[in-house]
Amino acid sequence: MIRKQYSAALTATCVILGVIIGVQYNTVKHQSITTENQRLSEATLALNQMQAERDALQKQNEALEKTLAEYQEGAVDTEMEQLMEFAGLTVVSGEGVIVTVNDSSSMGGGDRNAYLVHAEDLLSVVNELYAAGAKAVSVNGQRMVQQSAITCAGSIVMVNGVRVAAPFEIRAAGEADILHSALYFPGGVVDHLSPWGIEINVAKHAEVEVPAYTQSALFKAMDEEE
């Protein structure tokens, strides 16, 4: 009898423990699933947020790169334009003077060449204009630059290797009043040439166009590309 009661009590205890263990297992399993779902939801939300931030940063980066490229292109263009202007490869327009120099109309006694315009005469005018602040100068359409040369072989005058002849037209861009006064300064170019009957006229203009230097390889390459 006692043995039966003990057996029944043990069985009941085992059943109760089994139920408790089962309930705890289900509870733990449910909590684990809930936690995993919550973590997955949080991870998905964080991932979406990171992707949105990445897309925003990418757009911002693209905008900055575009702005930088535009700035660099503008800076390069500006620098190139300044270099070309400094090298005399661009047309210069503005206030200035046009100087006309011609051989003497009446030859006096002595050497006939003394009454003709020579390379050194043109060079004196050009140098005087530059000294007075001329921004650009040309002689019979030939732009004067650093490597330019005005040479003379007998009565033949060469500018930039191109033969030119009287009457000579010298164009200079700059402050017209100053350029004009510089040439007519006492003891200056005009006074030096006048005794020989060399005809020189200096006219002030509100708009003078000085052509670009066309003898450089860079200018020719650019011209071919166009």
Side-chain angles (χ1 to χ4, degrees):
M1 184 66 179
I2 294 173
R3 191 174 289 177
K4 288 181 179 182
Q5 290 176 348
Y6 175 76
S7 179
L10 182 60
T11 300
T13 301
C14 289
V15 171
I16 293 171
L17 288 174
V19 171
I20 293 172
I21 292 173
V23 170
Q24 288 180 342
Y25 174 77
N26 290 332
T27 300
V28 171
K29 183 178 180 181
H30 177 72
Q31 289 178 345
S32 177
I33 294 173
T34 302
T35 301
E36 289 178 0
N37 290 337
Q38 183 177 357
R39 289 180 179 177
L40 180 61
S41 177
E42 291 175 352
T44 302
L45 182 62
L47 179 61
N48 291 336
Q49 185 176 357
M50 289 177 64
Q51 288 178 339
E53 292 177 353
R54 181 202 63 188
D55 293 342
L57 288 173
Q58 185 173 355
K59 290 181 179 179
Q60 184 179 3
N61 185 59
E62 290 174 354
L64 289 174
E65 287 181 348
K66 182 180 179 180
T67 301
L68 179 60
E70 292 175 350
Y71 172 78
Q72 289 177 334
E73 182 178 356
V76 169
D77 290 343
T78 301
E79 184 177 354
M80 178 61 71
E81 184 177 347
Q82 292 174 343
L83 288 174
M84 289 182 64
E85 183 176 348
F86 179 76
L89 301 180
T90 59
V91 175
V92 176
S93 300
E95 177 187 358
V97 297
I98 296 180
V99 184
T100 304
V101 186
N102 204 357
D103 298 332
S104 175
S105 57
S106 59
M107 302 296 177
D111 187 1
R112 182 177 181 276
N113 284 328
Y115 300 91
L116 301 179
V117 179
H118 294 280
E120 57 267 26
D121 301 325
L122 298 176
L123 191 58
S124 294
V125 175
V126 170
N127 288 339
E128 196 66 54
L129 290 169
Y130 275 125
K135 295 184 292 185
V137 178
S138 68
V139 178
N140 281 29
Q142 291 297 317
R143 176 71 173 270
M144 302 302 297
V145 294
Q146 185 175 3
Q147 62 267 36
S148 290
I150 301 178
T151 58
C152 189
S155 60
I156 299 175
V157 177
M158 306 284 287
V159 180
N160 292 338
V162 178
R163 180 174 179 174
V164 295
F168 300 97
E169 182 186 80
I170 302 174
R171 291 172 169 255
E175 294 188 37
D177 289 336
I178 296 177
L179 297 178
H180 184 277
S181 298
L183 295 181
Y184 281 100
F185 191 80
V189 176
V190 174
D191 285 352
H192 175 71
L193 297 177
S194 295
W196 301 100
I198 300 298
E199 299 173 5
I200 180 168
N201 178 65
V202 185
K204 294 185 285 186
H205 292 270
E207 187 72 19
V208 173
E209 182 175 281
V210 181
Y213 179 71
T214 59
Q215 306 301 315
S216 72
L218 175 60
F219 188 94
K220 293 178 181 178
M222 292 174 60
D223 192 48
E224 291 175 359
E225 289 179 359
E226 294 177 355

